[in-house]
Amino acid sequence: MKPIERSSGGAGAPAHVVSRRAFLRGLGTAAVTAAATSTAAVAAEMEKAGGEATVGPGEVPLEFVLNGKPVRTAAEPRETLLDVLRARFGLTGAKEGCDRGTCGACTVLLDGKPIYACMRLALEVAGASIETIEGQSLAGGLSPVQAAFVKHDALQCGFCTPGFVMTTTALLRANPTPTEAEVRRACSGHLCRCGSQPHIIRAALAAAGVATTTTSTADSLRHDHA
Amino acid sequence: MKPFTYQRALSVDTAVAESSERCRLLAGGIDLLGELKEGLVEADKVVAVTRIPGLDTIEKKSAGWTIGANVTVATIAAHADLARAFPGLAAAARDVASPQIRHVSTVAGNLLQHSRCWYYRHRDVTCMKKGGDVCYAREGEHKYHALFTGGYCISPLVSSLAVALTVLDASVVVRGRGGERRLTMAELYAPAWDDHAVHHAIVPGEMLTAIEIPLAARRSAFVQASEKASFDWALVSCAVSLELEGGVVRQARIALGAVSPVPYRDERAEKALVGTRLDETTADAAAALLLEKAEPLPHNAYKVPIARALIKRALLAAATPG
Amino acid sequence: MPEWPKDPKYIGKSTPRVDGAKKVSGAAKYAHDVQPEGCLYGVVLRSRWAAAKITSIDLAPALKVRGVKAAILVREGSRQVRYYGDELAAVAATSKRAALDALRAIKVVAEPQPHVVKEHLAARPDAPRVFAETPNTGAGRERKQGDPDKGFAEADVVVEGLYATQVEIHQPMETHGGVASFKDGELTAWHSTQGISGVRDGLSGALELPQNKVRVLGEFMGGGFGSKFSAGVEGLLAARLSQAAGAPVRLMLTRFDESLAVGNRPSTFQKIRVGARADGTLTAFSMESYGCAGYAAGGPSAGGSTNSGFPAPYIYRVPNFRTRHTEVSIHAGPAAAFRAPGCPPASFGIESILDELAVKLGIDPVELRIKNDPMELRQRQYRMAAERFGWAAKYRKPGSSSGPVKTGVGCAGSAWRVPGGGTQAEIEVSPDGSVEIRCGTQDLGTGTHTVIAVVAAELLGLTPADIQVRIADSRFPPSGASGGSMTVTSVTPAVFDVCTKAIEELMRTSGLADVRGPQWRAACRKLGVSPLVLQGRWIDGLSAAGTGGVQMAEVEVDTETGFVRVKRVTCVQDAGLLVNELTARSQANGGIMMGIGYALYENRVMDSTSGVMLNPNFETYKLPGIADVPEIDVAFMDLLERRVMGIGEPVTIPTASAIANAVANAIGARVTSLPITPDKVLAALGKVPGAARDNPHDAWMSLFATQPA
Ligand SMILES: Cc1cc2nc3c(=O)[nH]c(=O)nc-3n(C[C@H](O)[C@H](O)[C@H](O)COP(=O)(O)OP(=O)(O)OC[C@H]3O[C@@H](n4cnc5c(N)ncnc54)[C@H](O)[C@@H]3O)c2cc1C
Ligand code: SF4
Ligand code: FES
Ligand code: FES
């Protein structure tokens, strides 16, 4: 999915935009992609460059790191990160399930932590690192979390799935061998109307290589009575 | 959301200078965006405060702890030293909403969030709190509403952190255009007790910059009861702190959440504990005193027995070394 | 008679979803995600009044908003609205922001009218009428069998109770709606639906387009649960906006809209009497009941609002019964079919009173059911479930566990019988051996893609990965809507048919004695240059109806806070011939989770004064979360000779009843209405000062006072 590059603000664009862009260019893709430190550096630099200019209400240039790559777009101050990802970048993996911070379908990682993209103004992520589901299956294959979700059928309609995958991914990075209780806590900000939660718990633990849980057991009793 | 301009404040001065009825301060945004999306508040401008340097630290000084306004709820929940000093605060933070919300919500935003009354939050209902002339909840659906109020609005305070901080004798540091003021937690919410139009004492042109918690040899605890096991509002929450000497209570604080527009306390209940040893009987007697003035309505009377149980549990938990 | 293979390699085993990789990687495109070039954003303007005469709607200010490309009325002229949220107009614009700005600019002039949004108030003779010409309560319908009076006279004990169920909302994670795009006089609609053909027919009818100029697509859809059979007002509005704007329009409802207007499970109020002999044998049953499907009258599919959709005394054998079911209308959003329409509410009533009877007679609830259940299979399931669950050790006198946190157990049974049929399918076998199966069915997350791949792989001797499954396109051979748990029973026989035909044809063209498995490629090469394309259809003898199931639940109730936690659920389900165990297990888990929501959390709350729904969101319309998941034990009876059956609906029927019975068993008092929330638990325990134990009943009883039994 290629981000749509928009030309920035035009005549009214505040001066700091230029230095931000210059900064990102200077930094180079590799450095920005590398690690959180470069993300922090981007943020620090942008704060310096950006000052306290009042922007909007029209479109304002916006730069951040999306799935490891610096990107540039423009957004009105009232646009949420979710709207920008979906409408301006065409990244539709994060879903709008409620638009009110209650379902988790829009979950993305902000500097590595799960947040609701529907409850974040896009301008608020300037300079930060955002990871979406589209950045997970790099090199064509599925990530271990994704593979475990498929193997253990941790999904039905799949609409809530990208959100659960993002949260599980963040959990396992921070805590490679979580307990079942930790999985439940980490995923408590997500809803799944198909009721896939028992298999989600199982998949999350399996992806971590933790012995499988008691949450869901099953037997099929073939020809039990004949 | 209607169009607005956006400014990223890099100093408290800027935030304070800009803040007004039509210019809202933005922290984690969970509450503000919800209100803007429903059209409950309108803003010409939004000023983001989370990049103001120096407001995102937790510090322990000789007089006590200072928590910067921009410290996130998740940070409080995960801070080991803070949790050792104030287990009740950590417990409250751990149960706020969901991880996604805790990661972005700040302690200031949590304390200053607005009413959650479902009439107030409804885009097509204009109740007293929004400038209308009736309280729909009183005659209507009030199962989540308050047992105690000094006015007519029965929308309860829902900030879990407010309840936990109250029993720690915490105060908030507020910067206004004319300078700085300090408010106790009681003072922070006092106006909401009988003025249906407000949520707390902070007015446009002011910014909360820090929370201060005095050092004291206290044990604390926080418990809440909800309908769901997680990511659900408290029906009732209860925070307590105790100073004990040889098992005898020297000082006690008990605050209830979700039952009043303010963190609800009654000194009589707290005094009754002084000089006693905590057990089922003394805890229950204090609970009864604290709930004595409850004015339940037909659909929220069930909160009384829940509160009674939680007070008892919180007191016994705080009294038990652990 | 056709027969399924006796010693299957894939059927009945666990194949991971063939479309799983797309769903976990964000690559799956739902209607919500489709963005054709130049796609506009559509939104709906809804009534702010529960009842009103709309005299005028001025769209002009909306059309002036920058970026707005079309604004249309749902209906011309003055009109009546009957619920808060009724659709009035729609706007399409280049961005969500512009569309919402335009919505705010529309001027609506209305004459508000009195409304009534509570069932018991609507039943009063002087209540505001939902339809001016008819009273809010219908005439009611009676059903009778045997001689109920004699049955009660023969009874050694008679128990009576009043049970109520709430309005439950489907709340699929993907809301209703879709994308409509006109090109060269043809309409393509990507729709979030359970029935692409129905949507096609609906759109072509409403827009007066020939059916062959309308194409409906929906490869991925984010759940429906019975609410997504038609194009809906929103589908039609998307198409009309697209016509008006000359550009594709994506119109997906907001969660707010979704909660108001696109269906729900009706509420019910059931006054039940049951008579039994001392040994537990039922002699008589009588029920007077009300069901409320919102403003809409509600057909059989609305479930719970008419006799045909409200089965009582449900699965039990009662020689003598009399039921009278009456509809009541209120100013609220309409009902729609909802996973096992009618059954969960009916189950809650009868299973609750059976437990009351068991307590009164001192009989084990499981024994009481076995005694009165006419289905031999389910009797056996009760014994199996009891053993897996450890029922005998767990069941105690109600309220007898010690301490403030009490545990209890409960059970309930289910039945479902909707046969499949009416499906056609197509197979294309290419000379290189690749196989594509096409069928105009849909996959709601139930695993249709995978089931088709499994069946085809089994019959052709290939692997599921070898089969390209293409569904959810109205240009493919038709299948019915996915409802009634009949997708698998409708689709698998058609797939069987095309595969069998392909094998026969390949044997003929290749001259090989067996073309399956290892011979497949060789046989296909003999096709030369053109692929083999064959049609087939549903055939009799491979699928069946009439499944049964039982569930047992263990709960923990904090009698000081009223908090209920479901600890364990055991489910023994007749699955007929199980096609794919892994995805079936997901469905069973899902049914149980939905049942937990119905039992403990979900409830539409209406406000009498304003007439609005107070909780059109996930914050206060509460769905179960991952922390509420119990330990779940699912045992499928995988019975080849019973043929393929659907289980999506039966697995959700008994959950809430079993939980309600477990709560009553734990605390020794019964919460007689769903959801079982802490306030009601504490009231039932007599712990709420000033509240009668049966507080809500006082209001509901007035329903029964309005008409003599
Ligand atoms: C589904 C759900 C469940 C929830 N459950 C809980 C719960 O159990 N317990 C609980 O406590 N909360 C709960 N919340 C509320 C949530 O925690 C708060 O909305 C959040 O903490 C607000 O913090 P924020 O930083 O996002 O605030 P914001 O939305 O950014 O700000 C809130 C308000 O404070 C003002 N403000 C922010 N910072 C300052 C400042 N420094 N000075 C002056 N004014 C300021 C803003 O202008 C705004 O009016 C829940 C929310 C949701 C949606
Ligand atoms: S309780 Fe307060 S906020 Fe709620 S309806 Fe009444 S006045 Fe409005
Ligand atoms: S869409 Fe963001 S939490 Fe639901
Ligand atoms: S899989 Fe359908 S909502 Fe989770």
Side-chain angles (χ1 to χ4, degrees):
Chain A
M1 209 85 32
K2 214 163 116 252
I4 305 154
E5 296 249 327
R6 305 252 166 164
S7 63
S8 56
H16 70 267
V17 173
V18 181
S19 27
R20 247 193 262 172
R21 234 181 284 146
F23 167 71
L24 280 171
R25 236 183 283 121
L27 201 59
T29 312
V32 178
T33 321
T37 49
S38 41
T39 310
V42 173
E45 175 67 17
M46 297 213 327
E47 252 155 48
K48 253 195 282 148
E52 294 188 317
T54 298
V55 297
E59 290 189 2
V60 182
L62 165 68
E63 295 167 358
F64 59 101
V65 177
L66 179 55
N67 292 325
K69 292 198 194 73
V71 292
R72 194 171 72 226
T73 182
E76 289 182 26
R78 60 172 164 161
E79 279 178 67
T80 63
L81 174 60
L82 181 63
D83 289 341
V84 165
L85 289 173
R86 293 179 57 86
R88 295 187 184 266
F89 288 95
L91 297 182
T92 55
K95 313 289 185 216
E96 181 183 306
C98 70
D99 200 26
R100 290 295 184 281
T102 52
C103 76
C106 66
T107 300
V108 300
L109 307 187
L110 164 68
D111 294 333
K113 290 185 184 132
I115 64 153
Y116 296 136
C118 71
M119 295 301 272
R120 195 87 184 146
L121 292 183
L123 297 191
E124 287 281 280
V125 308
S129 154
I130 296 295
E131 290 172 78
T132 71
I133 190 73
E134 286 86 355
Q136 293 308 297
S137 24
L138 296 172
L142 297 180
S143 73
V145 170
Q146 290 172 320
F149 267 60
V150 174
K151 180 170 174 210
H152 296 279
D153 207 39
L155 60 140
Q156 290 172 67
C157 79
F159 200 77
C160 67
T161 311
F164 273 103
V165 169
M166 294 313 291
T167 288
T168 307
T169 302
L171 169 70
L172 296 191
R173 275 189 211 158
N175 178 2
T177 53
T179 61
E180 177 173 334
E182 285 166 339
V183 170
R184 287 178 184 243
R185 257 192 91 69
C187 292
S188 63
H190 293 264
L191 295 174
C192 170
R193 187 47 153 169
C194 296
S196 299
Q197 296 95 336
H199 283 178
I200 290 169
I201 296 172
R202 173 178 287 223
L205 292 173
V210 175
T212 145
T213 155
T214 52
T215 295
S216 140
T217 54
D219 270 332
S220 97
L221 312 167
R222 174 149 288 214
H223 303 279
D224 170 79
H225 86 310
Chain B
M1 287 190 272
K2 295 190 180 172
F4 48 76
T5 58
Y6 170 89
Q7 181 178 20
R8 189 176 297 136
L10 296 179
S11 74
V12 174
D13 289 341
T14 304
V16 167
E18 294 292 333
S19 159
S20 74
E21 200 61 57
R22 304 285 306 177
C23 173
R24 303 277 170 165
L25 301 186
L26 174 75
I30 298 296
D31 194 43
L32 185 62
L33 259 57
E35 289 199 319
L36 288 168
K37 286 180 183 197
E38 292 296 339
L40 309 181
V41 301
E42 284 178 10
D44 298 328
K45 182 170 183 178
V46 162
V47 172
V49 299
T50 46
R51 305 227 190 165
I52 299 175
L55 296 187
D56 59 354
T57 52
I58 298 177
E59 283 175 290
K60 188 183 171 189
K61 299 187 194 127
S62 56
W65 292 74
T66 302
I67 302 176
N70 288 340
V71 169
T72 64
V73 179
T75 305
I76 294 181
H79 199 284
D81 291 341
L82 201 65
R84 250 189 306 281
F86 311 113
L89 179 60
R94 274 197 296 270
D95 274 353
V96 167
S98 67
Q100 286 95 326
I101 289 179
R102 294 193 291 270
H103 283 143
V104 297
S105 287
T106 70
V107 58
N110 185 273
L111 292 179
L112 301 182
Q113 61 176 302
H114 290 175
S115 160
R116 278 283 164 180
C117 166
W118 47 17
Y119 294 96
Y120 172 80
R121 291 273 161 176
H122 203 289
R123 58 178 75 159
D124 287 323
V125 176
T126 308
C127 71
M128 274 164 65
K129 208 170 196 72
K130 290 193 285 189
D133 39 37
V134 287
C135 168
Y136 287 82
R138 275 197 179 262
E139 302 298 317
E141 303 298 330
H142 50 244
K143 80 176 276 201
Y144 298 127
H145 287 71
L147 298 170
F148 310 88
T149 177
Y152 206 67
C153 171
I154 46 171
S155 169
L157 169 90
V158 292
S159 162
S160 315
L161 299 188
V163 184
L165 287 166
T166 295
V167 298
L168 301 175
D169 291 339
S171 47
V172 294
V173 184
V174 179
R175 182 92 72 82
R177 292 187 192 132
E180 205 166 76
R181 60 174 179 145
R182 274 181 174 65
L183 303 175
T184 63
M185 296 304 290
E187 288 163 347
L188 178 59
Y189 297 105
W193 172 251
D194 52 9
D195 182 352
H196 59 260
V198 301
H199 307 271
H200 48 68
I202 307 299
V203 297
E206 287 189 317
M207 177 173 169
L208 197 160
T209 56
I211 290 100
E212 293 177 342
I213 313 176
L215 282 188
R218 283 193 189 134
R219 302 164 184 275
S220 63
F222 174 93
V223 288
Q224 74 171 53
S226 307
E227 290 178 330
K228 284 172 47 174
S230 79
F231 200 13
D232 193 10
W233 295 91
L235 299 168
V236 180
S237 65
C238 177
V240 305
S241 75
L242 296 173
E243 269 182 49
L244 297 176
E245 204 175 82
V248 175
V249 178
R250 286 200 41 205
Q251 192 196 57
R253 299 265 184 275
I254 316 172
L256 292 174
V259 295
S260 165
V262 303
Y264 187 75
R265 284 176 61 189
D266 188 327
E267 280 194 5
R268 294 178 306 150
E270 297 172 1
K271 290 222 175 93
L273 287 172
V274 175
T276 68
R277 280 176 191 278
L278 266 170
D279 56 27
E280 287 270 342
T281 315
T282 51
D284 194 50
L289 266 179
L290 183 53
L291 292 165
E292 203 178 71
K293 293 180 183 158
E295 291 178 346
L297 294 158
H299 307 309
N300 71 356
Y302 74 98
K303 287 192 175 191
V304 174
I306 295 182
R308 192 153 173 164
L310 295 191
I311 296 165
K312 216 167 52 183
R313 287 180 194 183
L315 282 170
L316 294 175
T320 315
Chain C
M1 264 308 206
E3 264 185 52
W4 291 105
K6 281 270 163 352
D7 202 6
K9 191 155 173 223
Y10 295 107
I11 290 179
K13 307 286 163 39
S14 283
T15 298
R17 253 164 235 274
V18 294
D19 50 347
K22 281 190 181 168
K23 288 181 175 177
V24 298
S25 61
K29 293 283 178 197
Y30 298 76
H32 178 61
D33 304 325
V34 173
Q35 300 179 347
E37 186 70 31
C39 191
L40 302 174
Y41 194 97
V43 286
V44 182
L45 178 74
R46 295 179 181 275
S47 170
R48 286 187 281 128
W49 304 273
K53 192 170 163 220
I54 305 293
T55 49
S56 80
I57 302 176
D58 184 6
L59 298 175
L63 287 161
K64 288 205 194 87
V65 173
R66 228 180 106 191
V68 171
K69 301 293 179 195
I72 57 173
L73 293 176
V74 169
R75 225 171 297 153
E76 298 292 331
S78 93
R79 54 170 294 205
Q80 182 68 36
V81 291
R82 296 197 165 81
Y83 70 98
Y84 173 81
D86 203 351
E87 300 88 355
L88 298 179
V91 171
T94 49
S95 71
K96 180 180 182 180
R97 303 174 302 288
L100 291 173
D101 288 346
L103 216 56
R104 276 195 298 271
I106 297 174
K107 296 267 176 299
V108 183
V109 182
E111 291 164 14
Q113 297 163 340
H115 58 252
V116 60
V117 297
K118 303 269 185 193
E119 296 88 341
H120 65 280
L121 299 177
R124 289 184 184 166
D126 57 346
R129 285 187 169 185
V130 177
F131 290 90
E133 47 302 344
T134 47
N136 294 335
T137 47
R141 273 192 252 174
E142 278 196 33
R143 275 168 62 226
K144 202 175 150 207
Q145 178 178 302
D147 184 344
D149 294 333
K150 185 164 150 272
F152 279 113
E154 284 167 10
D156 294 318
V157 292
V158 172
V159 285
E160 284 186 355
L162 177 53
Y163 304 94
T165 62
Q166 75 279 42
V167 169
E168 182 190 19
I169 302 176
H170 302 71
Q171 303 287 26
M173 289 308 293
E174 182 185 38
T175 58
H176 283 61
V179 176
S181 175
F182 276 95
K183 214 181 211 158
D184 308 325
E186 294 195 19
L187 170 64
T188 304
W190 291 265
H191 205 70
S192 183
T193 182
Q194 302 177 233
I196 47 164
S197 329
V199 173
R200 195 256 328 267
D201 299 351
L203 288 175
S204 83
L207 299 167
E208 295 179 4
L209 286 167
Q211 294 190 339
N212 63 6
K213 302 244 174 192
V214 180
R215 181 181 190 189
V216 177
L217 297 161
E219 187 184 3
F220 295 100
M221 65 87 74
F225 311 109
S227 66
K228 285 183 179 168
F229 287 123
S230 70
V233 179
E234 52 284 344
L236 191 55
L237 286 175
R240 286 181 51 208
L241 282 170
S242 173
Q243 260 177 332
V249 172
R250 171 171 161 272
L251 195 163
M252 299 302 297
L253 299 190
T254 61
R255 183 57 55 188
F256 185 89
D257 297 349
E258 180 79 17
S259 307
L260 299 173
V262 289
N264 53 61
R265 191 190 292 288
S267 54
T268 67
F269 304 86
Q270 314 168 29
K271 194 174 161 193
I272 305 179
R273 255 178 111 208
V274 161
R277 289 189 210 285
D279 70 352
T281 309
L282 298 177
T283 58
F285 172 91
S286 79
M287 179 174 87
E288 196 194 336
S289 57
Y290 287 82
C292 178
Y295 85 89
S301 71
S305 60
T306 64
N307 266 331
S308 51
F310 192 43
Y314 196 38
I315 51 178
Y316 295 99
R317 182 191 328 115
V318 191
N320 312 293
F321 70 78
R322 174 173 50 224
T323 66
R324 180 193 180 83
H325 189 76
T326 307
E327 293 176 26
V328 48
S329 301
I330 59 172
H331 289 100
F338 195 160
R339 203 170 189 173
C343 296
S347 166
F348 176 67
I350 184 81
E351 299 285 8
S352 294
I353 204 156
L354 282 186
D355 262 31
E356 295 292 286
L357 181 66
V359 171
K360 196 154 181 181
L361 289 172
I363 297 179
D364 184 300
V366 170
E367 291 310 317
L368 183 69
R369 283 169 176 78
I370 290 173
K371 181 161 230 108
N372 291 290
D373 193 325
M375 191 186 192
E376 190 268 342
L377 180 75
R378 210 164 29 233
Q379 295 173 9
R380 221 148 6 89
Q381 290 177 331
Y382 270 111
R383 297 198 178 94
M384 285 167 58
E387 194 179 316
R388 295 179 77 93
F389 183 83
W391 176 273
K394 285 278 176 186
Y395 181 75
R396 272 172 299 191
K397 220 174 121 267
S400 63
S401 68
S402 60
V405 179
K406 300 197 180 293
T407 57
V409 294
C411 64
S414 74
W416 191 253
R417 54 168 61 249
V418 179
T423 291
Q424 298 173 39
E426 186 169 75
I427 189 167
E428 178 166 340
V429 180
S430 298
D432 68 353
S434 56
V435 178
E436 177 166 306
I437 304 239
R438 295 188 280 260
C439 177
T441 183
Q442 41 283 312
D443 188 338
L444 323 182
T446 47
T448 315
H449 285 98
T450 313
V451 158
I452 291 175
V454 161
V455 168
E458 187 73 58
L459 296 172
L460 304 176
L462 303 173
T463 71
D466 294 330
I467 315 293
Q468 184 64 249
V469 179
R470 303 226 185 258
I471 62 169
D473 181 338
S474 60
R475 290 192 181 161
F476 293 158
S479 180
S482 291
S485 299
M486 44 187 280
T487 305
V488 72
T489 52
S490 302
V491 170
T492 53
V495 175
F496 183 102
D497 190 43
V498 289
C499 291
T500 313
K501 284 181 175 155
I503 290 169
E504 284 165 6
E505 184 64 21
L506 274 178
M507 280 165 63
R508 237 169 22 82
T509 50
S510 70
L512 294 169
D514 191 355
V515 298
R516 293 173 303 170
Q519 317 290 349
W520 183 256
R521 280 172 166 273
C524 292
R525 261 197 302 277
K526 299 257 163 73
L527 286 170
V529 288
S530 30
L532 173 68
V533 179
L534 291 169
Q535 281 83 30
R537 53 172 60 239
W538 186 86
I539 47 176
D540 201 7
L542 293 168
S543 61
T547 166
V550 308
Q551 291 184 18
M552 292 180 176
E554 180 176 5
V555 302
E556 201 173 77
V557 185
D558 184 331
T559 56
E560 292 183 344
T561 63
F563 183 78
V564 177
R565 185 170 79 89
V566 183
K567 289 176 70 179
R568 285 195 302 142
V569 173
T570 290
C571 163
V572 176
Q573 181 65 45
D574 163 26
L577 166 66
L578 195 55
V579 181
N580 191 38
E581 196 202 321
L582 182 61
T583 48
R585 241 166 52 197
S586 284
Q587 272 198 320
N589 288 341
I592 290 164
M593 289 305 296
M594 194 172 255
I596 291 173
Y598 192 51
L600 301 181
Y601 313 121
E602 299 178 43
N603 188 17
R604 180 182 74 183
V605 182
M606 301 298 297
D607 177 54
S608 268
T609 311
S610 60
V612 306
M613 177 186 174
L614 286 172
N615 57 345
N617 53 55
F618 287 144
E619 185 188 324
T620 41
Y621 185 92
K622 300 182 181 182
L623 298 182
I626 200 162
D628 306 305
V629 174
E631 224 178 88
I632 296 175
D633 174 34
V634 175
F636 290 121
M637 297 174 79
D638 176 13
L639 309 168
L640 176 73
E641 66 284 6
R642 284 176 62 72
R643 298 172 271 178
V644 172
M645 288 180 180
I647 61 145
E649 283 164 298
V651 288
T652 204
I653 296 170
T655 313
S657 310
I659 291 171
N661 282 338
V663 171
N665 179 245
I667 66 175
R670 184 165 291 271
V671 174
T672 51
S673 69
L674 300 181
I676 302 172
T677 42
D679 53 336
K680 294 183 193 168
V681 170
L682 292 169
L685 286 165
K687 292 194 173 179
V688 181
R693 276 169 201 245
D694 54 354
N695 193 12
H697 282 190
D698 298 342
W700 297 331
M701 279 312 283
S702 64
L703 266 174
F704 298 94
T706 53
Q707 271 165 355

